[in-house]
Amino acid sequence: MAGVSNGHDGSSFKMPSIKFTKLFINGQFVHSISGKEFETIDPRTEEVITKVAEGAKEDIDVAVKAARVAFDYGPWPRMPGAERGRIMMKWAELIEQHVEEIAALDAINAGKLYHILKGGEIPGAARTIRYYAGAADKIHGEVLKAGREFHAYTLMEPIGVVGLIIPWNFPSIMFVGKVAPALAAGCTIVLKPAEQTPLSALFYAHLAKQAGIPDGVLNVVPGFGSTAGAAICSHMDIDKVSFTGSTEVGREVMRAAANSNLKPVSLELGGKSPLLVFDDADVDTAAQIALLGVIFNKGEICVAGSRVFVQEGIYDEFEKKLVEKAKAWVVGDPFDPKVQQGPQVNKKQFEKILSYIEHGKREGATLLTGGKRIGNKGYYIEPTIFSNVKEDMQVVQDEIFGPVMVLKKFKTIEEAITSANNTKYGLASGIVTKNLDIANTVSRSIRAGIVWINCYFAFGDDIPYGGYKMSGFGRDFGLEALHKYLQVKSVVTPIYNSPWL
Amino acid sequence: MAFSLRISRLISRSFSSTSLLSRGGSGYLGSGHCKYSTAAATEEEPIKPSVQVEHTQLLIDGKFVDAASGKTFPTLDPRTGEVIANVAEGKSEDVDRAVAAARKAFDHGPWPKMTAYERQRILLRIADLVEKHNDEIAALETWDNGKPYEQSSKIEIPMLVRLIRYYAGWADKIHGLTVPADGPYHVQTLHEPIGVAGQIIPWNFPLLMFGWKVGPALACGNTIVIKTAEQTPLSALYVAQLFHEAGLPPGVLNVVSGFGPTAGAALASHMEVDKLAFTGSTDTGKVVLELAAKSNLKPVTLELGGKSPFIVCEDADVDQAVELAHFALFFNQGQCCCAGSRTFVHESVYDEFVEKAKARALKRVVGDPFKGGIEQGPQIDSEQFEKILRYIRSGVENGATLETGGDRLGNKGFYIQPTVFSNVKDGMPIAKEEIFGPVQTILKFKDLGEVVQRANNSRYGLAAGIFTQNIDTANSLTRALRVGTVWTNCFDTFDAAIPFGGYKMSGQGREKGEYSLKNYLQVKAVVTSLKNPAWL
């Protein structure tokens, strides 16, 4: 493992002071009602970065009230979409002006690579906001064929107050991926960021206010799932919940929605996504795609290609190249621009991943490379690859959410498809082949929300993604996401003597 | 936000009935302004515009160049008939050069090849830059066209900015479809830019028409050769320069000033132009379509003339109806293709309506368009001026009642008195033909069936206005009128997202909104045979 360097060694970056640690409700930063705070940790050092106000049920109540008033009486849903778009454009500009500061927040809070945040994720957040800003004045209903002498049309109305609960693995992208379409639609928002990564969300809220988003439209309440999150899901005055996180918690979210006001829910949950590599593939390219597919963002990505199936003709060569590449992978301080992988987000995740690795060994899988922590400070884990796995093994079935790949050989397309679909999840998938028929057949056969052919993680603002099966339902990104935050109202009235029907 | 709120308020003030009406029509009358009957405003020295004419050459391949012939033509100030500037006169050879530049920019240039997000960013920068230069551009527009400066600066240039931003937002949302097949095939449609677009625009809204044309074409990734009207070449050259400053690559937008029979015809019949969009008269539209047919069969969008009905129903509040009908006709000196130029009034309110329409026209403030509070400036040129006066004479000769107006105003420039005719009969030329001037013709009707039949008895079908509170009347008329736009209790509401275009001889195709993207996209169906598909 080259270039292991944890701690602050690689960092010449001047750490920003943490400006926002309170709840953002109705346009103000406020203490939690209980006065409680929780510690947010730097995963590189396991040290406390700062204390953050801990929102609980009573804070959610205040936030929902603010969002309710902003929706029921405020200017946001009442202004033209073009005007909402202009304000959002301004917000995107402000984010671009603060890229480095926000990137540093996500890096210290989530252990993510600073240079990727600065060059990719944070500018990407601005781009996503611009995408939905441009969509705000393009929300079209339809005029319908009523079948009789009626004039009928649909109004696409903002759904109301939306509760958004986002995870810690992509604090910025998940934030804008939910907030931007909801704002474009004219909704007001109560958002709970993950307790691990509350800092960038509060910064975004501050910039939103500067951009002119009216008070009460965007409320950010840091806190824990079992308290603040649960309060959102079971709130009687929230009209919609969109959640990204684990499948287990997704179930709780949906149950709480069902038990309260039957609010519609969209869930973007776990995955155990397959990558299928066929004999005709360029082996080097395929190995590169496979490694990145599981190791990007330390494997803390719901769409990770964590099950890799390789056709027998190239299997041996592929395995060899893959292991070489994994060994050359640089793990270390995320502020070091040479580093390709930072620490896992926290102790709990770190220990969970290591226990899965141990379990894989006990189950009889072959550990090709990795398998251990790196150093003795911080949550760094070696890129880890198992081969000779059986499909019922836990390391093959469960979402590990770390840099752990399982590798398996297959003979025929049919076998590959069966294996790929042999999972409770259905979030993403990848195919590496040059053959058009294989690409098309497999694309239609895999039961997953996105198929990447000869690429992986090719996300885009206009490209919706979300899950089949227990990976959830509903889509984030694209115009599909906008529709999550809209109600459809049909309006019907009789007409007389119409020259056409 | 404050800025855009301001704009929308200003637009709604002039464009929406309610706020206009709340001012009772007298909101524009400030002290010191003269009503048309005194004509004093036109006898003063014209106000000097606060802008210099910087660009008079053709804009080809990102550079300002002289016409190949070296020729120029004068562009005139409609307030005085005097020359503002001499402008390079593009002809066939110049159109060839411009098309070659556009062709190169399309076939080899970065524009169609860059990401839609990058195109969006450039369009947004363009909008910012135009917004920054709002007042200079508006001054140029008013100088060359004669429309009130307040209208240019507070409505039209902000609308241009809004339009560019609107289409910027489309750039990354242009979707093809995946299409079901009857057998084992994977089918998708690619929406590709159509190529080099030729665009010919009129003089009545020089920059709005410019925006309607270039906005969607650029968002889709096309390159453009645009010919401006010979009456109003200046503002487009200024704005096109800003497009380049904002980062539009050279050759993507080429602006050729010149005349229809030479430059316009060359563009319409060019073999290397993939698409033509024209806004202008129905007669010229016919020629354009014919030239396209005779050359390379390029698809054509036409936005042509109109004789749009404005229907005042029996339940109408007469004061409000009069104000809106007045606005529908007199806005922009009556020089609107969609002007509500046939005012149909129900017999039960007809007499009151005529009296009040006359009174409103008498109050209309005509004068130097650079003066604050002016509602009406001069007509565009002597040809239009003479044509309108001829129509007025024909109205009188045919027995229509001239309620007010009917003559020129002052003795300099192309000012015409706001004119109202009552007792107009359907067969009269003033009721059938497009006058394109400040001449309101009021017709009486008895019942809805009759007014539908009469309103549709026109070779045109561009727009219509309906004034009623009755939902059944509104719905019946809306469906029965054979026109491209129906405005109910409003008129000239021209948001970026609302498509606009004609039925019948008012043209073909739609501009603005999502619909306009279609004008500038090719649809390519891609069909691939499938092996063992999991579903069809």
Side-chain angles (χ1 to χ4, degrees):
Chain A
M1 208 71 42
V4 172
S5 61
N6 40 13
H8 291 280
D9 305 350
S11 173
S12 56
F13 185 82
K14 195 175 168 292
M15 201 59 61
S17 59
I18 308 296
K19 294 175 182 155
F20 308 107
T21 59
K22 291 190 256 178
L23 317 180
F24 186 78
I25 295 177
N26 208 17
Q28 306 296 325
F29 283 101
V30 295
H31 285 293
S32 61
I33 291 170
S34 68
K36 272 201 199 167
E37 294 179 322
F38 65 98
E39 294 174 340
T40 189
I41 309 285
D42 183 340
R44 300 172 303 161
T45 59
E46 307 175 39
E47 285 161 13
V48 176
I49 302 168
T50 185
K51 288 182 172 177
V52 176
E54 182 183 337
K57 183 179 178 307
E58 62 273 19
D59 303 294
I60 294 293
D61 285 343
V62 178
V64 171
K65 203 166 186 186
R68 194 78 255 167
V69 169
F71 185 79
D72 292 344
Y73 307 105
W76 192 249
R78 289 166 186 81
M79 67 176 69
E83 224 161 285
R84 285 199 296 275
R86 290 291 295 149
I87 294 170
M88 291 172 70
M89 288 285 185
K90 172 87 178 140
W91 191 27
E93 266 163 43
L94 290 174
I95 290 169
E96 258 174 5
Q97 286 165 21
H98 293 85
V99 162
E100 294 192 355
E101 195 169 353
I102 301 169
L105 291 179
D106 274 355
I108 56 167
N109 217 185
K112 291 168 71 77
L113 298 179
Y114 175 73
H115 58 277
I116 295 215
L117 288 163
K118 186 182 155 189
E121 289 184 31
I122 313 303
R127 194 192 56 217
T128 299
I129 291 172
R130 289 202 178 100
Y131 173 84
Y132 287 108
D137 57 5
K138 297 171 184 70
I139 298 170
H140 293 133
E142 291 183 318
V143 176
L144 310 166
K145 280 286 174 207
R148 285 181 292 151
E149 287 213 308
F150 287 98
H151 174 60
Y153 56 90
T154 52
L155 295 178
M156 311 298 278
E157 301 185 343
I159 200 164
V161 175
V162 302
L164 307 176
I165 303 175
I166 59 171
W168 45 262
N169 57 340
F170 288 89
S172 288
I173 290 179
M174 293 295 128
F175 181 90
V176 297
K178 292 199 193 297
V179 167
L183 287 179
C187 295
T188 62
I189 294 165
V190 176
L191 177 137
K192 188 193 89 62
E195 63 271 21
Q196 294 86 345
T197 54
L199 299 179
S200 59
L202 294 171
F203 202 96
Y204 287 127
H206 159 72
L207 295 181
K209 179 168 170 125
Q210 278 193 356
I213 292 178
D215 292 349
V217 172
L218 173 62
N219 304 278
V220 177
V221 183
F224 292 85
S226 54
T227 51
I232 287 175
C233 298
S234 57
H235 208 289
M236 294 301 285
D237 254 339
I238 287 182
D239 301 305
K240 155 91 192 179
V241 165
S242 177
F243 169 80
T244 295
S246 72
T247 295
E248 293 79 353
V249 179
R251 235 186 247 284
E252 293 305 315
V253 168
M254 196 166 161
R255 185 180 292 157
N259 280 337
S260 57
N261 62 346
L262 280 171
K263 59 180 75 63
V265 171
S266 60
L267 303 173
E268 203 264 275
L269 308 176
K272 191 77 181 178
S273 298
L275 176 76
L276 312 185
V277 181
F278 290 88
D279 275 345
D280 67 334
D282 177 88
V283 176
D284 196 63
T285 310
Q288 189 65 31
I289 289 174
L291 185 70
L292 258 175
V294 75
I295 233 160
F296 178 68
N297 205 53
K298 318 162 263 170
E300 292 170 351
I301 180 163
C302 48
V303 290
S306 48
R307 294 183 296 144
V308 177
F309 299 93
V310 182
Q311 204 159 12
E312 56 183 1
I314 56 166
Y315 180 88
D316 291 342
E317 192 192 346
F318 179 93
E319 184 184 286
K320 188 167 149 274
K321 290 215 169 189
L322 181 68
V323 170
E324 277 169 20
K325 284 176 194 291
K327 289 192 165 158
W329 195 252
V330 185
V331 183
D333 189 308
F335 282 96
D336 181 343
K338 291 190 296 293
V339 160
Q340 295 168 297
Q341 179 183 328
Q344 307 307 130
V345 70
N346 63 14
K347 193 162 187 230
K348 187 177 152 204
Q349 290 294 322
F350 174 75
E351 284 171 353
K352 183 179 127 188
I353 295 161
L354 290 176
S355 99
Y356 267 116
I357 292 172
E358 288 313 307
H359 197 80
K361 289 191 216 162
R362 278 201 304 278
E363 281 177 310
T366 306
L367 183 67
L368 286 179
T369 180
K372 298 187 299 293
R373 85 176 289 180
I374 299 174
N376 47 26
K377 197 169 90 175
Y379 308 124
Y380 296 89
I381 295 181
E382 293 175 340
T384 300
I385 302 171
F386 282 111
S387 65
N388 291 319
V389 293
K390 302 216 166 29
E391 293 201 11
D392 58 356
M393 288 180 178
Q394 260 188 27
V395 286
V396 180
Q397 287 297 326
D398 292 2
E399 184 176 43
I400 298 174
F401 228 62
V404 182
M405 179 197 294
V406 296
L407 187 61
K408 194 169 185 291
K409 198 188 291 184
F410 71 86
K411 283 194 174 131
T412 64
I413 299 182
E414 291 71 25
E415 186 194 335
I417 290 169
T418 306
S419 292
N421 284 335
N422 182 15
T423 169
K424 66 174 177 172
Y425 295 114
L427 196 52
S429 59
I431 306 168
V432 185
T433 180
K434 295 197 179 86
N435 183 293
L436 187 59
D437 286 333
I438 293 175
N440 282 334
T441 301
V442 176
S443 299
R444 291 202 174 211
S445 300
I446 293 183
R447 299 189 49 76
I450 193 162
V451 179
W452 284 298
I453 303 172
N454 299 327
C455 58
Y456 211 84
F457 298 134
F459 288 107
D461 295 319
D462 202 36
I463 302 173
Y465 89 96
Y468 278 46
K469 301 195 276 185
M470 287 174 70
S471 289
F473 47 84
R475 294 291 178 266
D476 282 324
F477 293 95
L479 296 182
E480 302 276 341
L482 197 58
H483 288 265
K484 294 204 298 198
Y485 304 107
L486 294 167
Q487 275 284 17
V488 179
K489 178 184 281 175
S490 291
V491 183
V492 187
T493 188
I495 45 171
Y496 304 97
N497 304 318
S498 175
W500 55 271
L501 280 177
Chain B
M1 182 171 97
F3 182 73
S4 49
L5 277 176
R6 182 173 70 85
I7 294 305
S8 66
R9 242 183 270 127
L10 284 162
I11 289 173
S12 68
R13 182 186 302 166
S14 289
F15 271 17
S16 101
S17 57
T18 45
S19 19
L20 267 175
L21 302 178
S22 66
R23 294 170 172 262
S26 60
Y28 281 111
L29 289 172
S31 59
H33 300 312
C34 303
K35 296 167 193 173
Y36 85 81
S37 47
T38 71
T42 64
E43 282 158 11
E44 294 165 4
E45 270 305 296
I47 294 168
K48 196 172 154 28
S50 57
V51 66
Q52 300 290 319
V53 176
E54 284 173 29
H55 305 296
T56 57
Q57 291 167 294
L58 315 176
L59 181 54
I60 296 176
D61 209 10
K63 291 186 279 295
F64 281 105
V65 294
D66 286 324
S69 68
K71 272 194 171 181
T72 61
F73 66 97
T75 185
L76 308 181
D77 182 342
R79 300 175 300 169
T80 58
E82 285 160 14
V83 177
I84 301 172
N86 288 299
V87 177
E89 184 182 341
K91 293 187 178 180
S92 169
E93 200 178 325
D94 304 295
V95 168
D96 284 346
R97 281 196 293 165
V99 171
R103 190 80 259 167
K104 192 178 82 188
F106 185 77
D107 293 343
H108 309 291
W111 188 246
K113 296 175 181 68
M114 69 175 63
T115 66
Y117 180 62
E118 287 173 88
R119 279 199 296 276
Q120 180 201 141
R121 297 286 287 145
I122 291 173
L123 287 169
L124 290 175
R125 280 204 296 275
I126 289 169
D128 289 346
L129 217 48
V130 173
E131 193 168 58
K132 204 175 124 193
H133 293 276
N134 183 79
D135 292 356
E136 295 136 85
I137 298 168
L140 212 48
E141 191 82 325
T142 288
W143 197 3
D144 216 5
N145 171 281
K147 62 178 65 205
Y149 175 73
E150 287 176 346
Q151 179 185 322
S152 304
S153 65
K154 292 175 183 165
I155 300 171
E156 294 187 20
I157 310 307
M159 278 175 92
L160 170 69
V161 171
R162 163 79 184 108
L163 203 80
I164 296 169
R165 289 195 176 120
Y166 176 79
Y167 281 108
W170 270 122
D172 57 4
K173 297 169 190 72
I174 293 168
H175 293 161
L177 297 170
T178 51
V179 179
D182 293 346
Y185 300 99
H186 172 58
V187 186
Q188 45 188 324
T189 54
L190 300 182
H191 288 190
E192 302 183 343
I194 199 165
V196 175
Q199 304 178 326
I200 303 174
I201 56 173
W203 47 261
N204 58 341
F205 293 95
L207 279 181
L208 279 183
M209 293 300 108
F210 179 86
W212 288 21
K213 296 276 188 288
V214 306
L218 291 178
C220 294
N222 298 284
T223 62
I224 295 168
V225 176
I226 190 165
K227 187 197 93 62
T228 50
E230 65 270 22
Q231 294 87 343
T232 54
L234 298 179
S235 59
L237 292 172
Y238 187 107
V239 167
Q241 162 66 16
L242 296 181
F243 275 53
H244 287 85
E245 264 180 61
L248 193 72
V252 174
L253 173 63
N254 304 278
V255 184
V256 178
S257 317
F259 292 82
T262 50
L267 198 53
S269 55
H270 207 289
M271 295 300 287
E272 290 286 325
V273 170
D274 300 307
K275 157 79 194 178
L276 198 77
F278 170 80
T279 296
S281 73
T282 294
D283 291 345
T284 309
K286 283 185 183 178
V287 175
V288 166
L289 195 56
E290 199 180 346
L291 290 175
K294 279 187 181 160
S295 55
N296 62 346
L297 281 170
K298 57 180 77 64
V300 176
T301 308
L302 298 172
E303 203 265 274
L304 308 175
K307 192 74 184 176
S308 298
F310 184 94
I311 301 171
V312 179
C313 299
E314 60 180 316
D315 68 330
D317 175 303
V318 175
D319 289 330
Q320 291 184 9
V322 163
E323 187 59 37
L324 194 60
H326 176 85
F327 170 69
L329 184 279
F330 288 98
F331 177 64
N332 206 48
Q333 294 74 244
Q335 298 168 150
C336 299
C337 49
C338 59
S341 52
R342 290 184 291 155
T343 311
F344 287 100
V345 181
H346 191 268
E347 57 178 6
S348 64
V349 292
Y350 178 85
D351 292 341
E352 185 188 353
F353 184 96
V354 170
E355 189 189 319
K356 288 180 169 169
K358 173 185 170 182
R360 177 64 185 92
L362 273 164
K363 279 203 291 188
R364 187 165 186 79
V365 189
V366 186
D368 188 326
F370 279 103
K371 207 166 180 177
I374 288 293
E375 293 179 283
Q376 181 177 320
Q379 309 305 125
I380 185 74
D381 62 9
S382 64
E383 188 187 331
Q384 290 293 320
F385 176 77
E386 296 296 344
K387 185 180 116 184
I388 295 160
L389 292 175
R390 269 201 308 279
Y391 271 116
I392 292 173
R393 284 195 294 276
S394 111
V396 174
E397 284 159 14
N398 283 290
T401 307
L402 180 66
E403 296 283 348
T404 179
D407 208 345
R408 79 177 297 174
L409 190 56
N411 47 26
K412 197 167 75 172
F414 311 123
Y415 295 91
I416 292 183
Q417 296 171 349
T419 298
V420 176
F421 280 109
S422 65
N423 288 319
V424 179
K425 300 287 174 270
D426 289 5
M428 295 177 182
I430 58 167
K432 284 167 66 178
E433 294 166 22
E434 188 174 39
I435 301 175
F436 229 62
V439 182
Q440 186 175 32
T441 62
I442 304 176
L443 306 96
K444 191 193 288 189
F445 76 91
K446 278 195 171 103
D447 66 66
L448 280 187
E450 172 208 335
V451 81
V452 165
Q453 188 269 326
R454 289 170 63 194
N456 282 338
N457 185 19
S458 167
R459 67 170 183 159
Y460 295 115
L462 197 51
I466 300 172
F467 203 82
T468 182
Q469 290 301 316
N470 184 308
I471 188 175
D472 291 332
T473 304
N475 281 335
S476 293
L477 285 177
T478 296
R479 292 205 171 211
L481 293 169
R482 298 190 48 77
V483 297
T485 299
V486 176
W487 284 297
T488 305
N489 300 328
C490 57
F491 207 87
D492 283 346
T493 305
F494 272 111
D495 289 11
I498 303 173
F500 183 80
Y503 279 45
K504 299 194 274 186
M505 287 174 73
S506 288
Q508 45 185 271
R510 293 292 178 271
E511 293 187 309
K512 294 196 288 110
E514 186 177 2
Y515 291 86
S516 197
L517 298 173
K518 280 191 198 166
N519 296 326
Y520 299 102
L521 293 167
Q522 276 287 15
V523 178
K524 179 183 282 175
V526 184
V527 187
T528 308
S529 116
L530 283 176
K531 235 166 121 181
N532 300 323
W535 54 272
L536 279 179

